[in-house]
């Protein structure tokens, strides 16, 4: 098979031929149709984001593809089936505390690197080997453009947080990072789940207006400035009622103001889910949390059933993929695609590799 290989950080990808993978028990081989490229991929390849990787490998996190071969124990997956390839690979020998890696992307522990040594290559390739449980049928979405379906990979991240928050129809949620790539997708998913209102803070007024024009009046924008240190009162006023949940999906930030304000804006008994890239302490008063019965939890990626539920939301029309654009590149232009993704990684923009054609 043909693959784009990262031999060392700070080096461009090279297009090479690798042996076709062969599935064993509990494994499948997928013909890769489309691959999403995250906007910060260039930072991982350059070493700016020091992700632990066993090099050389074909990178790439998540894919849409067709089942090509299955292991002998497959009972539902068959060749030709359209699937989403979930990059979240979990070890199978500790159900309570599994090691986790993102295939083709990050293996942060010794156990995760052991997983990566076997499921070594990601989706920047014509084929990929993955655990059987990481291939989710998308047969109900056969009529969709596979490039558009690559948005599933983005939407699943905030969806994991929304499920962790136990968002219910009719509730109000605050999305920190609403004007970003993952946050704007999270708004679409929250509305599809029945959120009555989504509070969307941001510093880009034009982008906030775009969110409202795209999703409608259930989105309540909050234009903020760098100088504001406590936004909780403004959040509550904009909500015009209790705020049930916070989804904090901010990128790397130099301040914890938004996160702290979001937590402090929650109603008694509210839940805050932390999924972002902030790498500093967030100071929340102990007694305030206790007296208001607040739940603050972290969420890394998503539960195993999330891809099937999200596919159902898309297939039923609850999530409209029309506003979400894609720019495609063939596998041979992987380096150009990474550069394009760097410059076009905002809301409603996704860069996609197409290693093979359906």
């Amino acid at each position: 098979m043909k693959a784009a290989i990262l031999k060392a950080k700070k080096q461009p990808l090279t297009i090479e031929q690798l042996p076709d993978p062969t599935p064993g028990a509990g494994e499948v081989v997928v013909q890769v149709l489309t691959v999403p490229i995250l906007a910060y991929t260039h930072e991982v390849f350059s070493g700016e984001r020091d992700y632990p990787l066993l090099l050389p490998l074909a990178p790439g996190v998540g894919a849409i593809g067709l089942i090509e071969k299955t292991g002998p124990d497959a009972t539902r997956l068959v060749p030709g089936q359209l699937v989403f390839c979930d990059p979240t690979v979990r070890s199978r020998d500790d159900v309570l505390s599994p090691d986790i890696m993102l295939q083709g992307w990050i293996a942060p522990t010794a156990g995760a690197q052991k997983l990566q040594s076997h499921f070594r290559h990601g989706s920047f390739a014509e084929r990929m080997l993955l655990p059987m449980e990481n291939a989710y049928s998308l047969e109900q979405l056969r009529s969709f453009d596979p490039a558009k379906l690559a948005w599933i990979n983005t939407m699943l991240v905030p969806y994991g947080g929304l499920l962790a928050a136990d968002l219910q129809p009719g509730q109000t949620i605050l999305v920190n990072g609403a004007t970003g790539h993952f946050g704007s997708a999270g708004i679409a998913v929250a509305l599809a789940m029945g959120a009555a209102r989504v509070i969307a803070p941001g510093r880009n007024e034009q982008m906030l207006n775009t969110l409202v024009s795209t999703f409608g009046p259930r989105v309540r924008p909050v234009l903020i400035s760098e100088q504001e240190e406590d936004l909780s009162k403004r959040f509550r006023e904009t909500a015009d009622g209790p705020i049930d949940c916070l989804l904090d999906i901010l990128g790397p930030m130099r301040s914890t103001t938004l996160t702290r304000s979001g937590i402090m804006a929650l109603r008694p008994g509210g839940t805050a889910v932390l999924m972002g890239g902030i790498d500093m302490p967030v100071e929340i008063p102990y007694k305030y949390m206790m007296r208001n019965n607040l739940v603050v939890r972290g969420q890394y990626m998503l539960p195993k059933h999330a891809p099937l539920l999200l596919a159902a939301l898309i297939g039923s029309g609850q999530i409209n993929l029309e506003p979400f654009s894609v720019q495609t590149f063939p596998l041979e232009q992987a380096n150009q695609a990474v550069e394009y993704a760097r410059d076009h990684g905002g809301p409603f923009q996704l860069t996609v590799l197409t290693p093979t054609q359906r």
Side-chain angles (χ1 to χ4, degrees):
M1 68 176 183
K2 190 184 300 180
I5 301 296
L6 180 66
K7 291 185 175 181
K9 293 180 180 179
K10 300 182 180 180
Q11 291 186 10
L13 299 167
T14 58
I15 306 301
E16 300 184 9
Q17 292 288 332
L18 298 180
D20 288 339
T22 301
E27 299 172 346
V28 296
V29 171
V30 171
Q31 177 190 358
V32 180
L33 298 177
T34 59
V35 181
I37 303 178
L38 299 178
Y40 59 86
T41 297
H42 69 288
E43 297 179 15
V44 176
F45 292 176
S46 70
E48 183 178 346
R49 294 199 187 202
D50 191 20
Y51 282 10
L53 291 169
L54 297 181
L55 301 178
L57 60 66
V61 56
I64 304 296
L66 300 172
I67 296 290
E68 187 170 278
K69 297 177 183 177
T70 68
D73 53 337
T75 62
R76 302 291 179 88
L77 295 173
V78 295
Q81 200 168 0
L82 184 69
V83 292
F84 166 68
C85 303
D86 179 9
T88 313
V89 178
R90 299 171 175 87
S91 60
R92 295 161 168 164
D93 49 0
D94 187 342
V95 68
L96 291 179
S97 304
D99 289 292
I100 300 176
M101 76 155 181
L102 296 184
Q103 188 171 358
W105 199 240
I106 183 171
T109 66
Q113 292 193 5
K114 194 171 183 179
L115 286 173
Q116 192 173 73
S117 68
H118 180 67
F119 296 106
R120 190 171 192 85
H121 298 296
S123 48
F124 280 26
E126 292 178 321
R127 297 172 185 84
M128 64 183 298
L129 176 75
L130 66 154
M132 193 178 295
E133 65 269 23
N134 284 57
Y136 292 85
S137 175
L138 298 180
E139 281 299 297
Q140 74 271 40
L141 304 180
R142 274 275 182 174
S143 62
F144 285 71
D145 179 358
K148 283 276 191 179
L149 291 179
W151 271 102
I152 289 175
N153 201 65
T154 293
M155 291 181 175
L156 276 170
V157 177
Y159 188 40
L162 296 170
L163 291 174
D166 194 26
L167 177 67
Q168 298 296 309
Q171 289 188 330
T172 294
I173 185 165
L174 167 64
V175 178
N176 272 341
T179 58
H181 179 74
F182 288 100
S184 55
I187 291 176
V189 180
L191 294 173
M193 294 172 68
R197 290 180 292 274
V198 177
I199 311 307
R203 296 184 175 88
N204 186 328
E205 185 174 10
Q206 181 179 355
M207 191 61 238
L208 290 173
N209 292 336
T210 298
L211 292 176
V212 175
S213 64
T214 300
F215 297 119
R218 284 193 288 165
V219 175
R220 303 281 185 89
V222 180
L223 183 63
I224 60 178
S225 68
E226 294 281 357
Q227 289 73 35
E228 293 179 275
E229 295 185 358
D230 185 0
L231 295 154
S232 55
K233 182 179 179 181
R234 290 188 59 200
F235 291 161
R236 288 192 293 265
E237 290 173 348
T238 303
D240 193 25
I243 299 176
D244 303 282
C245 311
L246 164 68
L247 175 63
D248 192 278
I249 199 162
L250 293 162
M253 301 280 287
R254 292 173 294 179
S255 168
T256 63
T257 295
L258 274 172
T259 300
R260 186 183 188 280
S261 298
I263 295 172
M264 300 294 286
L266 290 171
R267 64 162 172 83
T271 299
V273 176
L274 309 182
M275 298 193 78
I278 292 178
D279 191 20
M280 61 184 75
V282 180
E283 295 184 2
I284 304 297
Y286 181 104
K287 287 186 177 180
Y288 183 87
M289 287 187 63
M290 179 268 291
R291 289 172 178 166
N292 287 280
N293 300 311
L294 296 183
V295 176
V296 179
R297 61 168 292 178
Q299 177 65 33
Y300 184 64
M301 299 304 289
L302 51 130
K304 290 183 178 181
H305 63 284
L308 294 178
L309 295 178
L310 185 68
L313 287 173
I314 294 172
S316 67
Q318 295 302 309
I319 295 178
N320 179 14
L321 295 181
E322 187 59 34
F324 296 91
S325 68
V326 292
Q327 179 64 47
T328 61
F329 291 82
L331 183 63
E332 292 78 7
Q333 295 179 16
N335 288 304
Q336 294 95 313
V338 170
E339 292 179 7
Y340 187 90
R342 176 193 60 200
D343 300 327
H344 301 83
F348 313 120
Q349 298 182 81
L350 185 64
T351 305
V352 172
L353 276 185
T354 56
T356 61
Q357 299 294 320
R358 185 161 73 172

